[in-house]
Amino acid sequence: MRKIFLGVVVYALAELALLIVIGQNIGVFSTLMLIVATSVIGIYVMKNKGMNSIQNVKNTMARGEAPGAALVDTLLTFGGGLFLALPGFLTDLVGLLLLMPFSRKMFQPIVYYWMRKKMKKGQFIIVQR
């Protein structure tokens, strides 16, 4: 629990320091507009790309194929939009990395590992109707 708390505190301080530095360099108003713009883009990405990804998962399942790759892609796309929607420049960087196809491939093995670990513990169950 201490590690999580420490991680949140370090993240918040890093994000605040970055906001101050960027605000001093480009101005407070420009910094605020940049944060609002990335939040709007993040919401747009979650809505449009997320729905397209969900449709891709449904199409994959309709063909009788396992939706593993499409499901992971959907999860990473939605996560990228969510990180963009959150205020802050560090979260924007992570969100952009999750949305770019070439860097998203770096995160796919991590998600597969996490899903396998949850399935082995019985915390993640896939139900087929």
Side-chain angles (χ1 to χ4, degrees), residues 46-110:
M46 280 193 302
K47 183 180 179 213
N48 290 334
K49 283 193 151 226
M51 293 307 290
N52 290 342
S53 295
I54 289 172
Q55 189 61 40
N56 189 15
V57 170
K58 287 181 181 180
N59 291 341
T60 303
M61 290 175 63
R63 289 191 304 262
E65 299 173 8
L71 188 65
V72 169
D73 192 52
T74 300
L75 179 68
L76 291 173
T77 301
F78 183 79
L82 181 66
F83 277 117
L84 271 178
L86 293 173
F89 292 108
L90 292 177
T91 55
D92 291 344
L93 179 64
V94 173
L96 287 173
L97 286 174
L98 289 174
L99 290 175
M100 301 295 171
F102 58 88
S103 61
R104 190 181 317 143
K105 292 192 184 307
M106 293 185 323
F107 292 101
Q108 286 175 344
I110 297 167

